[in-house]
Amino acid sequence: MTENNLSKMPLLPVVGMGPPSLVGFFALTEIEQDSFFQALGERSSLRVKQIHRWFIQGVTDFRLMTDIPAGLRGKLVDNFVPFSSKILLHSKATDATEKLLLEFPDKKQIETVLMREEGRATVCLSTQVGCGMGCVFCASGLEGVQRNLQTHEIQEELLQIRALLQPGERISHIVVMGMGEPLANLERLLPALDWANSASGLGISARNITISTVGLPKKIIELASYKKPYHLAVSLHAPTDLIRNQIVPINEQVGMKDVLDAAQQYQEISGRQVTYEYILIAGINDQAHHAVELARVLSGRQSHVNLIPFNQVKGLPWQRPEEDSIVLFRETLRQRGVSATVRKRKGADIDAACGQLRREAARAIPGAV
Ligand code: SAH
């Protein structure tokens, strides 16, 4: 590629140093892709589609893309990398959960998880480097937020995980429950989910895609206005503002009423039932009277409560309740007509369970690991 050609090329959405990644290329508009390929002396749209198809099939080595002319394959090898992210760590848990620590060209790191269960393969996606919400029980926010992930970086998480699958496996579900607050990065997340959902992308059913939020009312209403068919989960975690303010600090700015009203609006506009997530922390929000109060708060709403017993985060003082209290909490809700289940813990032995994901800087805090 000559310098002259390079100067004609549109800016690729890469952060930091390193050659442009082809996944980043898929996030460009068709016009940008066209001019890029024209600068390489190629007819564009066909080539982009061909390369995209190879990626979707799991082939990311340009040399193996046999329907691309050898000359162009050479140019691709010389000028691009398939992914902008590097896998720094790949951990496997005893329950077949796998976790990747990915590093982007600007050295920022995130974690992405693959969970397996009864023929399902679920990817837990991160949307930010760190998290700015500061929930007191969660590892991801210990060091605050550093930046949003770009659309193509979220796409890369999916493609990197996809490469771990065994023959016959496919990504069936996505939960946006990794590091970060998804609704604080909605504009970059949605194109990545739409691509994952589309037939020319990963073809994952929209009904199997869940976005989990700490509960940002304005953003929930904005998401509802896009009329996307995705499932919404709201991290309620407490039956009263008094308790919620203590464990989900952002609540002081929003208040439970607005969170619940926004969730109700999402439900009405989307026609999809909202799930309320409720972490159970021993002695904080796990008593039967908390369940009674929660049932009262949710009465009259079509809702499902997903109970998440606290997962240990080293350096944090909280405890997981005893099994008996978890069951009592669930039954107290059910007796009051509130549908409730307890979330299965996945990947705890590799710190891949809910709330255990962190970036490398946080991992390095003495005493935090
Ligand atoms: N920012 C999003 C996604 C967070 S992760 C949100 O707040 O919903 C998904 C769920 O795991 C959230 O409900 C989150 O509150 C919960 N979680 C965080 N830390 C946890 C921990 N240590 N144990 C159990 N659940 C935790």
Side-chain angles (χ1 to χ4, degrees), residues 239-280:
T240 61
D241 274 321
L242 199 64
I243 299 177
R244 197 164 196 265
N245 286 346
Q246 283 166 21
I247 59 179
V248 180
I250 193 81
N251 192 61
E252 283 179 34
Q253 291 167 43
V254 293
M256 267 178 62
K257 185 182 178 304
D258 283 6
V259 175
L260 290 164
D261 286 352
Q264 185 68 24
Q265 274 196 46
Y266 186 88
Q267 190 151 308
E268 279 160 19
I269 294 173
S270 70
R272 299 208 59 189
Q273 191 181 63
V274 170
T275 295
Y276 295 97
E277 291 158 295
Y278 190 103
I279 191 170
L280 288 169

Side-chain angles (χ1 to χ4, degrees), residues 85 100 102 104 110-113 123-127 149 152-162:
S85 56
L100 294 179
L102 298 179
F104 293 107
I110 54 137
E111 295 190 310
T112 307
V113 179
V123 181
C124 179
L125 284 180
S126 291
T127 51
L149 293 188
H152 74 278
E153 293 173 327
I154 301 171
Q155 290 171 302
E156 278 194 30
E157 289 183 69
L158 286 159
L159 290 171
Q160 295 274 27
I161 288 282
R162 199 182 175 289

Side-chain angles (χ1 to χ4, degrees), residues 131 133 135 137-139 176-178 180-182 212-215 233-235 237 277-279 308-313 343 354-356:
C131 184
M133 297 297 116
C135 300
F137 42 77
C138 182
V176 189
M177 296 188 183
E181 168 48 39
S212 175
T213 175
V214 71
V234 175
S235 294
H237 297 332
E277 291 158 295
Y278 190 103
I279 191 170
I308 321 174
F310 173 69
N311 293 311
Q312 208 61 46
V313 174
R343 182 175 296 176
C354 294
Q356 295 184 320

Side-chain angles (χ1 to χ4, degrees), residues 128-235:
Q128 298 182 308
V129 182
C131 184
M133 297 297 116
C135 300
V136 301
F137 42 77
C138 182
S140 301
L142 284 177
E143 287 280 275
V145 63
Q146 289 196 316
R147 69 168 173 85
N148 284 323
L149 293 188
Q150 303 288 323
T151 296
H152 74 278
E153 293 173 327
I154 301 171
Q155 290 171 302
E156 278 194 30
E157 289 183 69
L158 286 159
L159 290 171
Q160 295 274 27
I161 288 282
R162 199 182 175 289
L164 307 178
L165 298 179
Q166 304 296 318
E169 280 189 314
R170 59 179 292 274
I171 299 174
S172 60
H173 292 68
I174 294 176
V175 291
V176 189
M177 296 188 183
M179 291 167 57
E181 168 48 39
L183 297 195
N185 191 17
L186 190 57
E187 67 208 77
R188 295 177 192 87
L189 170 65
L190 281 183
L193 292 183
D194 291 346
W195 168 81
N197 169 233
S198 72
S200 60
L202 295 180
I204 301 166
S205 160
R207 304 195 75 81
N208 294 349
I209 297 179
T210 301
I211 303 174
S212 175
T213 175
V214 71
L216 305 176
K218 289 195 189 103
K219 283 286 173 183
I220 293 176
I221 290 164
E222 182 187 333
L223 176 62
S225 75
Y226 298 141
K227 299 205 165 35
K228 299 283 179 188
Y230 305 130
H231 185 81
L232 183 71
V234 175
S235 294

Side-chain angles (χ1 to χ4, degrees), residues 293-365:
E293 184 72 1
L294 180 64
R296 202 187 53 73
V297 167
L298 296 179
S299 71
R301 293 162 179 269
Q302 260 211 334
S303 52
H304 176 78
V305 174
N306 197 209
L307 299 168
I308 321 174
F310 173 69
N311 293 311
Q312 208 61 46
V313 174
K314 287 181 196 122
L316 296 184
W318 320 107
Q319 297 297 324
R320 187 183 180 88
E322 297 296 330
E323 204 51 37
D324 288 357
S325 335
I326 297 172
V327 172
L328 179 63
F329 200 97
R330 186 194 66 200
E331 290 310 307
T332 307
L333 288 176
R334 286 183 178 171
Q335 281 156 15
R336 283 160 180 75
V338 178
S339 142
T341 46
V342 178
R343 182 175 296 176
K344 269 202 192 148
R345 182 154 56 161
K346 296 292 229 173
D349 55 337
I350 54 164
D351 277 350
C354 294
Q356 295 184 320
L357 303 188
R358 48 174 87 211
R359 57 193 173 80
E360 187 61 29
R363 195 189 313 275
I365 298 173

